[in-house]
Amino acid sequence: TLTHVDHPRLDRYLDFPLQTHPSVLQLGGSDPESLGRAAAIAAPYAYDELNLNCGCPSPKVAGKGNFGAALMLEPELVADCVAAMAANSGGAPVTVKCRIGVDDVDSYDALCAFVETVAARMPPRRGEDARPLFAIHARKALLRRVLYTGSHTTASAW
């Protein structure tokens, strides 16, 4: 939305009262160029952090939109996305929200590989703890649901 809205209406989406600091802007998408533009548009609003949503399992987000939890299956793309956001964030740190896994890709090793791949492209955060920050929901996302219809079982991708 941010990259498609005319500038006079941006305040409607981005402005917030100063007393609400710290404030985080969560972005969703899978195109590094678009996410970089959105980060640049948001930079003058001085968010304390920009967050990339890699955790939403909604069919509209992860299914048709190919972002949200679906991004966990593409860590190199997520790394490109956070690098583009960080390059245009005006100094605000970039963080990632994700799940412990997606569908059958839910091992500890898979989660570690995702975090390591993405973290390698994230710039250090400010302050005492400069390590990249991930907000990890302690549950996995189910993008394919199993439907039970009488005696038949069908796997269905959303």
Side-chain angles (χ1 to χ4, degrees):
T1 299
L2 294 182
T3 59
H4 301 289
V5 171
D6 57 349
H7 288 284
R9 295 187 330 173
L10 282 175
D11 283 352
R12 174 178 171 206
Y13 296 104
L14 295 173
D15 200 20
F16 60 94
L18 291 177
Q19 59 269 34
T20 63
H21 277 286
S23 291
V24 176
L25 175 65
Q26 185 178 76
L27 299 176
S30 59
D31 177 57
E33 185 180 324
S34 293
L35 287 165
R37 278 197 318 272
I41 290 167
Y45 291 87
Y47 282 90
D48 297 285
E49 176 182 310
L50 298 182
N51 177 270
L52 179 62
N53 181 342
C54 295
C56 182
S58 163
K60 289 183 180 178
V61 173
K64 295 177 185 173
N66 193 33
F67 56 100
L71 283 174
M72 287 194 67
L73 301 173
E74 299 188 52
E76 293 291 340
L77 176 58
V78 174
D80 291 343
C81 290
V82 297
M85 289 169 61
N88 293 283
S89 71
V94 175
T95 62
V96 174
K97 178 187 90 171
C98 64
R99 303 280 181 130
I100 59 172
V102 176
D103 293 327
D104 295 333
V105 183
D106 60 355
S107 70
Y108 179 73
D109 289 341
L111 175 61
C112 289
F114 174 82
V115 169
E116 289 168 3
T117 299
V118 176
R121 299 280 304 277
M122 295 171 79
R125 294 184 314 127
R126 294 175 280 201
E128 292 179 29
D129 187 358
R131 294 177 292 181
L133 181 66
F134 288 77
I136 302 175
H137 285 234
R139 60 186 183 271
K140 71 179 188 175
L142 298 176
L143 301 184
R144 288 180 294 150
R145 294 230 169 161
V146 177
L147 304 175
Y148 296 97
T149 55
S151 61
H152 304 297
T153 303
T154 307
S156 172
W158 281 2

